[in-house]
Amino acid sequence: MTATSLTAALDYAREHHADFLDGFRTLLRFPSISLERARQADLLACAEWIAVQMRQAGLDNAQLLPTPGNPIVYGDWLHADAAKPTILLYAHYDVQPIGDAALWHSPPFQPTVVKGRLIARGAVDDKCGVWILLKALEAILAAGGRLPVNVKCLFEGEEELGSKNTIAALNQYRSLLAADALIICDGPFSPKQPGIGVSVRGAVQGELRVTGPPQDLHSGRYGGAVRNPIHSLARIIAALHDSEGRVRLPGFYDQLPQSPVNQWCGMAGARPMQAPAIMPDANADLQKAAGLDDFFGEALGSFAVRTTMLPTLDVGGIFGGYSGEGLRAIIPSEAGCKLTLRTVPGQDGAERWASLVEHAKSFREPGIDIEARLHSIAHPFAMAADGREALALRRALESTLGMPARLLRHGGSLAIGGVLARLLNAPVSMLGLGSGGNSHAANEYIVLDDIAPALEVAIRALFELGNEG
């Protein structure tokens, strides 16, 4: 394939843009809400429709791979030269619930254009990823008959559920999914400032349960004589951090990449750490969105470092005692909290959880028992900033948008990415294709004018990955 093939594929995409948008609207009409059991038939219908679109795009082996939950939609094209890499492309077709219907300006599953925005649930998270990838593959195959790389597509139906059932099925399909690299197309796309994700933090989620008396007791009869589980829980939580925000668990900042612990955490007199050159100073919008004037933890490093490059520990909820109308004079029988640990590449989530449990259980005393329950572990992952895939994606973005792409570290987590990275032993990158907003809120939208450049980036990326850009 040559530059002529690239030009032909781009021309095909431009000529068929209106048809592509019509197909996208059809995809958006499926109410594929994975969090609602009543929608399983809709999810299956959506998956089957996507498989048909795969075949029409020219992919082989389009099929639904069963999982304990919603199916994976799989398809491939493996006819490139043997020296060409095999790229596994990921996106997800399930969407968030609509929430309060009264907040939507138009029906969530009736795509509506308002002031240049295509509004529909799933428009930007992440049906655009599914559709733009399929149309990029179709454009290349229709224009030149061949792809510049070998391709496998994995479109998931449970990302909004944390991918639990998908992950449970991956070992079964390990050989089928084997690839040289994984590209996750689930995330933001910005023509004004292109970027690709090179690092994602892990997430360890669980809860602690502190138990005391076998039932609630009258505080007038037993207060001062029976230990209160809420008081014990408060001491556990209070001991998690110091006054500057550092997590106090032993070894919490061990195994941080690229820098000694004291430099990463501002310890031993070291200066606070600044974001590296590859981390854009693009956090003003995030800070503004928080609705706060003040933030803490500067001793640990800059805002970008604290929210993307360091592990964290947060209490997401507390339960126990009576919290209804009025008051009850009781010593509660139990209390508890829900926690999320964020880990960074190089750290082991199970080890961090074990350290937390050991910390909590050190607060045991006569009359107080402490139990821990681990809910899930999402592994962190990263890719080399100067690796083949990162360079190829950066070239595709710059060729399309006329400016260098920034390399982004994501503070959130993506369970499927970490599992696939380990399962396939392959580098992972995140190439967002959705320019829009309100992805988990009412009136989710994608910017219509940004769909064409996102599609061009996807087409160019495939050529660059095959070194044929």
Side-chain angles (χ1 to χ4, degrees):
M1 300 183 82
T2 64
T4 303
S5 300
L6 169 60
T7 300
L10 294 175
D11 287 344
Y12 180 93
R14 296 184 187 109
E15 292 167 5
H16 292 80
H17 182 69
D19 292 337
F20 287 179
L21 284 182
D22 285 343
F24 186 41
R25 290 187 179 94
T26 300
L27 177 59
L28 293 173
R29 292 189 183 100
F30 288 96
S32 51
I33 305 172
S34 57
L35 282 159
E36 296 180 2
R37 290 180 178 272
R39 296 293 191 180
Q40 285 190 316
D42 296 311
L43 281 147
L44 180 59
C46 184
E48 290 174 338
W49 186 85
I50 291 171
V52 171
Q53 301 306 306
M54 280 185 172
R55 297 184 193 104
Q56 292 180 356
L59 296 184
D60 303 322
N61 302 314
Q63 59 186 295
L64 305 190
L65 303 179
T67 79
N70 300 320
I72 296 167
V73 188
Y74 173 86
D76 60 36
W77 192 93
L78 305 174
H79 309 296
D81 295 340
K84 299 296 184 180
T86 297
I87 309 298
L88 179 62
L89 302 173
Y90 169 93
H92 66 90
Y93 64 89
D94 67 315
V95 302
Q96 279 278 317
I98 65 170
D100 185 352
L103 297 177
W104 286 79
H105 302 321
S106 55
F109 295 103
Q110 293 182 22
T112 304
V113 177
V114 178
K115 297 181 179 179
R117 296 176 172 183
L118 181 60
I119 299 173
R121 174 57 88 222
V124 75
D125 184 20
D126 176 40
K127 287 181 176 178
C128 65
V130 172
W131 194 242
I132 289 173
L133 287 174
L134 284 180
K135 295 298 106 177
L137 295 168
E138 176 186 323
I140 298 172
L141 287 169
R146 295 180 61 80
L147 296 179
V149 290
N150 296 296
V151 165
K152 298 179 179 182
C153 293
L154 188 166
F155 297 151
E156 184 192 0
E158 296 199 357
E159 192 276 339
E160 302 294 0
L161 288 174
S163 304
K164 183 177 180 180
N165 288 314
T166 304
I167 289 170
L170 286 180
N171 265 318
Q172 179 182 353
Y173 305 119
R174 184 172 186 167
S175 60
L176 182 67
L177 300 176
D180 298 304
L182 166 65
I183 297 178
I184 295 175
C185 296
D186 179 13
F189 170 78
S190 173
K192 296 179 181 178
Q193 181 50 72
I196 64 171
V198 295
S199 179
V200 175
R201 291 195 294 186
V204 183
Q205 295 184 300
E207 59 183 87
L208 300 175
R209 184 169 177 261
V210 182
T211 56
Q215 67 276 329
D216 294 350
L217 299 177
H218 194 297
S219 64
R221 295 174 181 171
Y222 296 98
V226 173
R227 289 185 173 88
N228 190 316
I230 291 181
H231 298 178
S232 297
L233 177 66
R235 287 193 290 273
I236 294 171
I237 294 174
L240 292 176
H241 301 83
D242 67 15
S243 61
E244 293 185 312
R246 294 185 185 88
V247 178
R248 297 172 66 184
L249 301 181
F252 191 77
Y253 296 103
D254 287 354
Q255 300 170 313
L256 298 180
Q258 302 177 359
S259 181
V261 171
N262 64 338
Q263 292 179 348
W264 276 76
C265 302
M267 298 176 179
R271 289 177 296 175
M273 186 178 176
Q274 299 303 310
I278 66 168
M279 182 65 206
D281 184 17
N283 296 282
D285 290 342
L286 278 177
Q287 291 174 316
K288 182 178 179 181
L292 299 170
D293 296 324
D294 299 299
F295 296 88
F296 86 116
E298 287 78 7
L300 293 166
S302 68
F303 181 88
V305 167
R306 301 196 308 278
T307 58
T308 66
M309 296 175 64
L310 289 179
T312 61
L313 171 57
D314 285 289
V315 177
I318 296 177
F319 55 90
Y322 178 73
S323 59
E325 197 74 25
L327 300 171
R328 286 184 63 198
I330 61 167
I331 298 171
S333 63
E334 66 176 10
C337 66
K338 300 178 183 294
L339 306 110
T340 299
L341 279 152
R342 299 283 178 184
T343 56
V344 297
Q347 290 189 315
D348 185 281
E351 291 179 0
R352 299 281 71 79
W353 175 253
S355 176
L356 172 61
V357 173
E358 183 178 358
H359 161 84
K361 290 190 175 181
S362 71
F363 287 82
R364 276 177 169 164
E365 51 190 334
I368 291 292
D369 193 21
I370 299 167
E371 297 177 355
R373 180 185 176 194
L374 175 63
H375 287 283
S376 63
I377 295 180
H379 303 294
F381 59 91
M383 68 178 293
D386 58 352
R388 178 186 65 189
E389 293 76 24
L391 294 175
L393 298 182
R394 290 168 71 183
R395 289 194 298 268
L397 285 161
E398 186 167 358
S399 297
T400 303
L401 303 173
M403 66 187 77
R406 289 176 171 176
L407 304 185
L408 308 174
R409 298 184 189 272
H410 296 284
S413 305
L414 185 66
I416 192 75
V419 172
L420 283 169
R422 292 188 173 203
L423 185 74
L424 305 178
N425 191 28
V428 183
S429 183
M430 298 185 72
L431 175 66
L433 295 172
S435 172
N438 297 338
S439 58
H440 285 207
N443 304 302
E444 180 178 348
Y445 69 91
I446 189 169
V447 179
L448 274 173
D449 287 346
D450 291 345
I451 293 176
L455 176 57
E456 181 172 336
V457 166
I459 292 171
R460 288 185 180 275
L462 290 165
F463 279 91
E464 291 289 357
L465 288 162
N467 295 316
E468 297 182 10

